[in-house]
């Protein structure tokens, strides 16, 4: 069974976290989907033969919470938000829709909290990934960038004309 071979590896691996970092700032939807995949892969890895490829995400979360209990105050909101984020990625998976930068930031925040609570591998790299959320905040669409460039060129032209009027 291919799934058992994957279980021998550390999940999430440092390579998986590097892949996430490489996706950051590129596409909100694909990035968010990748973040949710890391959380799902960790849970499936920890549960081993208790789940299979047919186990739904909702069932996976339910089984995981039962097998690895944490205080309710720590995980209730976390898993509610993980489920909500996972649902949002359905549109990415099935219709190739995009998500917002806020949704991408939220997914990284959830991964960071999940890593902290469950002490998952490479949590320091995940923490670093969470600190680089400024990539999303600073990101502009090509249209916004082109509009800014056009405005800057108009301003340069206007200043150039004003300068030549003053000197001539």
């Amino acid at each position: 069974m291919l799934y058992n071979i994957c279980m021998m590896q550390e999940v999430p691996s440092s390579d998986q976290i590097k892949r996430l970092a490489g996706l950051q700032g590129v596409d909100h939807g694909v990035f968010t989907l990748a973040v949710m995949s890391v959380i799902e892969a960790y849970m499936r890895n920890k549960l081993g033969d208790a789940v299979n490829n047919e186990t739904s995400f909702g069932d996976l979360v339910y089984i995981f919470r039962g097998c690895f209990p944490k205080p309710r105050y720590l995980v209730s909101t976390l898993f509610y938000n993980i489920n909500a984020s996972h649902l949002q990625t359905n549109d990415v998976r099935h219709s190739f829709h995009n998500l917002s930068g806020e949704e991408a930031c939220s997914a990284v925040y959830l991964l960071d909290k999940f890593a902290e609570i469950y002490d998952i591998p490479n949590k320091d790299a995940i923490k670093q990934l969470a600190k680089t959320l400024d990539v999303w905040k600073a990101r502009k669409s090509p249209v916004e960038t082109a509009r800014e460039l056009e405005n800057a060129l108009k301003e340069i032209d206007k200043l150039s004309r004003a300068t030549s009027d003053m000197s001539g």
Side-chain angles (χ1 to χ4, degrees):
M1 182 175 187
L2 180 61
Y3 185 73
N4 284 334
I5 293 170
C6 295
M7 288 177 43
M8 292 181 207
Q9 300 173 4
E10 180 180 64
V11 176
S13 68
S14 60
D15 285 343
Q16 287 172 320
I17 303 305
K18 286 177 190 171
R19 285 179 65 202
L20 278 180
L23 285 172
Q24 199 171 25
V26 176
D27 182 285
H28 303 304
V30 172
F31 177 77
T32 303
L33 178 60
V35 170
M36 299 298 15
S37 294
V38 168
I39 293 171
E40 181 174 356
Y42 176 80
M43 288 189 290
R44 288 186 183 281
N45 185 280
K46 289 297 280 185
L47 291 171
D49 292 335
V51 297
N52 59 42
N53 291 335
E54 302 298 314
T55 306
S56 72
F57 188 79
D59 289 343
L60 177 69
V61 169
Y62 180 78
I63 296 166
F64 183 83
R65 285 184 71 177
C67 291
F68 302 99
K70 296 288 180 179
R72 185 177 170 96
Y73 73 91
L74 283 178
V75 296
S76 288
T77 303
L78 173 70
F79 280 110
Y80 175 83
N81 290 327
I82 286 173
N83 279 322
S85 189
H86 184 267
L87 279 174
Q88 290 172 331
T89 62
N90 282 340
D91 285 340
V92 177
R93 266 190 303 279
H94 302 298
S95 303
F96 202 56
H97 284 215
N98 200 2
L99 297 174
S100 71
E102 290 79 21
E103 289 161 323
C105 289
S106 174
V108 174
Y109 174 80
L110 292 172
L111 175 60
D112 184 39
K113 289 297 161 206
F114 184 82
E116 186 180 304
I117 291 169
Y118 286 97
D119 195 30
I120 73 174
N122 295 299
K123 70 178 180 180
D124 291 337
I126 292 168
K127 178 74 63 194
Q128 189 60 39
L129 185 68
K131 288 180 182 176
T132 62
L133 292 177
D134 292 338
V135 171
W136 293 112
K137 294 172 187 159
R139 182 176 183 256
K140 293 183 178 151
S141 74
V143 172
E144 290 171 314
T145 303
R147 198 173 296 132
E148 283 183 7
L149 180 58
E150 183 180 337
N151 290 338
L153 289 173
K154 284 179 184 176
E155 188 64 24
I156 289 170
D157 186 49
K158 182 176 147 185
L159 292 171
S160 177
R161 278 188 268 125
T163 304
S164 68
D165 286 348
M166 283 189 228
S167 62

